[in-house]
Amino acid sequence: MKNFNVAVIGATGMVGQRFITLLDNHPWFHITALAASSRSAGKPYAEVVENRWAMSTPIPEKVKNMVVLDAVADAEKIAASVDFVFCAVDMKKDEIKALEEKYAKLECPVVSNNSANRNTPDVPMIIPDINDDHSAVIEFQRKRLGTKRGFIAVKSNCSIQSYVPALHPLKKFGIKNVLACTYQAISGAGKTFERWPEMVDNVIPYIGGEEEKSEKEPLKIWGTLENGVITPAASPLITTQCIRVPVSDGHLAAVFVSFENKPSIEEIKELWANYAGAPQKLHLPSAPKQFIHYFEEENRPQTKLDRNLENGMGVSVGRLRPDSFFDYKFVSLSHNTLRGAAGGAVLMAELLAAQGYLD
């Protein structure tokens, strides 16, 4: 695989910081530019994030003295100097859509962590282990944008990656109804306990916009490419509650599911154990070897113990059992800033590179 020069747009935020740690020593992708808001532009990266570096590892040496560029004002300069960009900006939704389309029209592919373009019909929203074929819509998007290389691809919301991977192998049985309650880490809000002391010893039963995303986005992931757009699936019916809990990283989901053709518990466990998607088959650098891990212990998965499974890119499942109202219930867990955010976007970029869309 060839090497790619990349920029991180929104490099000073928590997801941007996670991108930087993941790309340090990446075998294919090399950071050559960092960008953020005009407030940070013109300063060395280490100076900008000195008092808000939230990662457990130090700032990589390669980026410490890199001068931060202005994501908007320097867009032409950035687009001309890299092969593609990762985008994780904190802006209004219409501003994000305009920014991402600007880079795409500058013939610079955008791999986005943001939600602004998730509902755009010809923008693929990809969980690489599940719907790698949705990248085919890129050619139709390029026609709309009038580009040869430029396009936008987005990753899904972090909450759905705690339970959609566990449901996906079971679609062959006709999933009818899903209830998912997610217990989401504070890093999903870009916070640490030092910066959000109100979360210590507390639970907040509301996360703005999260439940709508959690109910709609799986249907696009399970949708089909028709007439140049992704048409969302009509089923299953999904209802969710999303709750903020006092843990640093990791989104845990309590999931209830009913089927048209009810499988046995043994069939479900076998499908989870044997499931492999495109990243595993292509041996992508960030891919977990085992995408879905099932724990037989009654008290697993646990957020603190299991969120870093497979370098934070695996999905943990446990407590599969019959339910008195639905057919079955189980719990599942994913790392929200790795699998659910920056790591998922890096894996998606690896997939797009392997498919030739970044050439």
Side-chain angles (χ1 to χ4, degrees), residues 9 17 25 36 43 45 79 92-93 98 105 134 180 184-185 187 254 261 270 272 277 283 300 331 345:
I9 312 297
Q17 293 178 24
N25 298 318
K43 303 172 186 175
Y45 183 73
K92 294 179 181 177
K93 189 166 287 190
K105 288 184 174 179
H134 281 197
Q184 301 187 201
S187 58
N261 303 295
E270 184 178 2
W272 283 340
H283 303 289
R300 303 284 288 276
V331 295

CSV table of all heavy atoms in Angstrom, one decimal, residues 9 17 25 36 43 45 79 92-93 98 105 134 180 184-185 187 254 261 270 272 277 283 300 331 345:
chain,number,residue,atom,x,y,z
A,9,ILE,N,-8.2,18.0,10.6
A,9,ILE,CA,-8.9,19.2,10.8
A,9,ILE,C,-9.8,19.1,12.1
A,9,ILE,O,-10.6,18.2,12.2
A,9,ILE,CB,-9.9,19.4,9.6
A,9,ILE,CG1,-9.2,19.2,8.2
A,9,ILE,CG2,-10.5,20.8,9.6
A,9,ILE,CD1,-8.0,20.1,8.0
A,17,GLN,N,-7.3,14.9,19.0
A,17,GLN,CA,-6.2,14.4,19.7
A,17,GLN,C,-6.0,12.9,19.6
A,17,GLN,O,-5.0,12.4,19.4
A,17,GLN,CB,-6.3,14.8,21.2
A,17,GLN,CG,-6.2,16.3,21.5
A,17,GLN,CD,-6.4,16.6,23.0
A,17,GLN,OE1,-6.2,15.7,23.8
A,17,GLN,NE2,-6.8,17.8,23.2
A,25,ASN,N,3.0,6.9,13.9
A,25,ASN,CA,3.6,5.6,13.4
A,25,ASN,C,2.6,4.7,12.6
A,25,ASN,O,2.8,3.5,12.5
A,25,ASN,CB,4.2,4.8,14.6
A,25,ASN,CG,5.3,5.5,15.3
A,25,ASN,OD1,6.2,6.1,14.7
A,25,ASN,ND2,5.3,5.5,16.6
A,36,ALA,N,-7.2,23.9,12.9
A,36,ALA,CA,-8.2,24.1,13.9
A,36,ALA,C,-8.9,25.5,13.6
A,36,ALA,O,-8.9,26.0,12.5
A,36,ALA,CB,-7.6,24.0,15.3
A,43,LYS,N,0.0,29.0,15.9
A,43,LYS,CA,0.8,28.6,17.1
A,43,LYS,C,1.2,27.2,17.0
A,43,LYS,O,0.6,26.3,16.3
A,43,LYS,CB,-0.1,28.7,18.3
A,43,LYS,CG,-0.7,30.1,18.5
A,43,LYS,CD,-1.7,30.1,19.7
A,43,LYS,CE,-2.4,31.5,19.8
A,43,LYS,NZ,-3.5,31.4,20.8
A,45,TYR,N,1.5,23.3,17.8
A,45,TYR,CA,0.5,22.5,18.3
A,45,TYR,C,0.6,22.2,19.8
A,45,TYR,O,-0.4,22.3,20.6
A,45,TYR,CB,0.4,21.1,17.6
A,45,TYR,CG,-0.7,20.2,18.0
A,45,TYR,CD1,-2.0,20.5,17.7
A,45,TYR,CD2,-0.4,19.1,18.8
A,45,TYR,CE1,-3.0,19.7,18.1
A,45,TYR,CE2,-1.5,18.3,19.3
A,45,TYR,CZ,-2.8,18.6,18.9
A,45,TYR,OH,-3.8,17.8,19.3
A,79,ALA,N,-5.6,21.5,1.4
A,79,ALA,CA,-6.0,20.6,0.4
A,79,ALA,C,-5.0,20.3,-0.7
A,79,ALA,O,-4.8,19.1,-1.2
A,79,ALA,CB,-7.3,21.1,-0.3
A,92,LYS,N,-21.0,24.7,14.0
A,92,LYS,CA,-22.4,24.5,13.7
A,92,LYS,C,-22.6,23.6,12.5
A,92,LYS,O,-21.7,23.5,11.6
A,92,LYS,CB,-23.1,25.9,13.4
A,92,LYS,CG,-23.2,26.8,14.6
A,92,LYS,CD,-23.8,28.1,14.3
A,92,LYS,CE,-23.9,29.1,15.4
A,92,LYS,NZ,-24.4,30.4,15.1
A,93,LYS,N,-23.7,22.9,12.5
A,93,LYS,CA,-23.9,21.8,11.5
A,93,LYS,C,-23.8,22.4,10.1
A,93,LYS,O,-23.1,21.7,9.2
A,93,LYS,CB,-25.2,21.1,11.7
A,93,LYS,CG,-25.4,19.9,10.8
A,93,LYS,CD,-26.5,19.0,11.3
A,93,LYS,CE,-26.2,18.2,12.6
A,93,LYS,NZ,-27.2,17.2,12.9
A,98,ALA,N,-20.7,22.9,5.0
A,98,ALA,CA,-20.0,23.8,4.0
A,98,ALA,C,-18.5,23.6,4.0
A,98,ALA,O,-17.9,23.6,2.9
A,98,ALA,CB,-20.3,25.3,4.3
A,105,LYS,N,-14.6,19.7,-2.9
A,105,LYS,CA,-14.6,20.4,-4.2
A,105,LYS,C,-13.2,20.9,-4.5
A,105,LYS,O,-12.9,21.2,-5.7
A,105,LYS,CB,-15.6,21.5,-4.2
A,105,LYS,CG,-17.0,21.1,-4.3
A,105,LYS,CD,-18.0,22.2,-4.4
A,105,LYS,CE,-19.4,21.7,-4.6
A,105,LYS,NZ,-20.4,22.8,-4.7
A,134,HIS,N,-21.0,0.2,0.7
A,134,HIS,CA,-21.7,1.5,0.6
A,134,HIS,C,-20.7,2.6,0.0
A,134,HIS,O,-21.1,3.6,-0.5
A,134,HIS,CB,-22.2,2.1,1.9
A,134,HIS,CG,-23.5,1.4,2.3
A,134,HIS,ND1,-24.4,2.0,3.2
A,134,HIS,CD2,-24.2,0.3,1.8
A,134,HIS,CE1,-25.4,1.2,3.3
A,134,HIS,NE2,-25.3,0.2,2.5
A,180,ALA,N,-32.8,-0.4,22.7
A,180,ALA,CA,-31.4,-0.2,23.2
A,180,ALA,C,-31.3,0.9,24.1
A,180,ALA,O,-31.7,2.1,23.8
A,180,ALA,CB,-30.4,0.0,22.0
A,184,GLN,N,-23.4,6.0,28.3
A,184,GLN,CA,-22.3,6.6,27.5
A,184,GLN,C,-21.3,7.4,28.3
A,184,GLN,O,-21.7,8.2,29.2
A,184,GLN,CB,-22.9,7.5,26.4
A,184,GLN,CG,-23.9,6.7,25.5
A,184,GLN,CD,-24.4,7.4,24.3
A,184,GLN,OE1,-25.4,7.1,23.7
A,184,GLN,NE2,-23.7,8.5,23.9
A,185,ALA,N,-20.0,7.3,27.9
A,185,ALA,CA,-18.9,7.9,28.6
A,185,ALA,C,-18.9,9.4,28.4
A,185,ALA,O,-19.3,9.9,27.4
A,185,ALA,CB,-17.6,7.3,28.2
A,187,SER,N,-16.3,11.2,27.7
A,187,SER,CA,-15.4,11.5,26.5
A,187,SER,C,-16.2,11.7,25.3
A,187,SER,O,-15.8,12.4,24.3
A,187,SER,CB,-14.3,10.5,26.3
A,187,SER,OG,-14.8,9.2,26.1
A,254,ALA,N,-27.6,-1.9,26.8
A,254,ALA,CA,-28.5,-3.0,27.2
A,254,ALA,C,-29.5,-3.1,26.0
A,254,ALA,O,-30.2,-2.2,25.7
A,254,ALA,CB,-29.2,-2.6,28.5
A,261,ASN,N,-37.9,-15.0,12.7
A,261,ASN,CA,-37.6,-16.4,12.9
A,261,ASN,C,-36.6,-16.5,14.0
A,261,ASN,O,-35.4,-16.3,13.8
A,261,ASN,CB,-37.0,-17.0,11.6
A,261,ASN,CG,-37.9,-16.8,10.4
A,261,ASN,OD1,-39.0,-17.4,10.4
A,261,ASN,ND2,-37.5,-16.0,9.4
A,270,GLU,N,-22.7,-18.6,17.8
A,270,GLU,CA,-21.8,-19.1,16.7
A,270,GLU,C,-21.6,-18.1,15.7
A,270,GLU,O,-20.5,-17.9,15.1
A,270,GLU,CB,-22.4,-20.4,16.1
A,270,GLU,CG,-21.6,-21.0,15.0
A,270,GLU,CD,-22.2,-22.3,14.5
A,270,GLU,OE1,-23.3,-22.7,14.9
A,270,GLU,OE2,-21.5,-22.9,13.6
A,272,TRP,N,-21.8,-14.8,16.1
A,272,TRP,CA,-20.9,-13.8,16.7
A,272,TRP,C,-19.4,-14.2,16.6
A,272,TRP,O,-18.5,-13.5,16.2
A,272,TRP,CB,-21.3,-13.5,18.1
A,272,TRP,CG,-22.5,-12.6,18.3
A,272,TRP,CD1,-23.0,-11.8,17.3
A,272,TRP,CD2,-23.3,-12.4,19.4
A,272,TRP,NE1,-24.1,-11.1,17.8
A,272,TRP,CE2,-24.3,-11.5,19.1
A,272,TRP,CE3,-23.3,-13.0,20.7
A,272,TRP,CZ2,-25.3,-11.1,20.0
A,272,TRP,CZ3,-24.3,-12.6,21.6
A,272,TRP,CH2,-25.3,-11.7,21.3
A,277,GLY,N,-15.7,-9.2,8.8
A,277,GLY,CA,-16.1,-8.2,7.7
A,277,GLY,C,-14.9,-7.9,6.8
A,277,GLY,O,-13.8,-8.6,6.9
A,283,HIS,N,-7.2,-7.6,6.1
A,283,HIS,CA,-6.1,-7.4,7.1
A,283,HIS,C,-5.6,-6.0,7.2
A,283,HIS,O,-4.4,-5.6,7.1
A,283,HIS,CB,-4.9,-8.3,6.7
A,283,HIS,CG,-5.2,-9.8,6.6
A,283,HIS,ND1,-5.5,-10.6,7.7
A,283,HIS,CD2,-5.3,-10.6,5.5
A,283,HIS,CE1,-5.8,-11.8,7.3
A,283,HIS,NE2,-5.7,-11.8,6.0
A,300,ARG,N,-19.7,-9.7,32.7
A,300,ARG,CA,-18.9,-9.1,31.6
A,300,ARG,C,-19.8,-8.9,30.4
A,300,ARG,O,-20.8,-9.6,30.2
A,300,ARG,CB,-17.7,-10.0,31.2
A,300,ARG,CG,-16.8,-10.3,32.4
A,300,ARG,CD,-15.9,-9.2,32.7
A,300,ARG,NE,-14.8,-9.0,31.7
A,300,ARG,CZ,-13.7,-9.7,31.7
A,300,ARG,NH1,-13.4,-10.6,32.5
A,300,ARG,NH2,-12.8,-9.4,30.8
A,331,VAL,N,-26.0,-7.5,26.7
A,331,VAL,CA,-25.3,-6.2,26.8
A,331,VAL,C,-24.1,-6.2,25.9
A,331,VAL,O,-23.6,-7.3,25.5
A,331,VAL,CB,-24.8,-6.0,28.3
A,331,VAL,CG1,-26.0,-5.8,29.2
A,331,VAL,CG2,-23.9,-7.1,28.7
A,345,ALA,N,-12.9,6.0,12.1
A,345,ALA,CA,-12.6,6.8,10.9
A,345,ALA,C,-11.3,6.4,10.3
A,345,ALA,O,-11.2,6.3,9.1
A,345,ALA,CB,-12.6,8.3,11.3
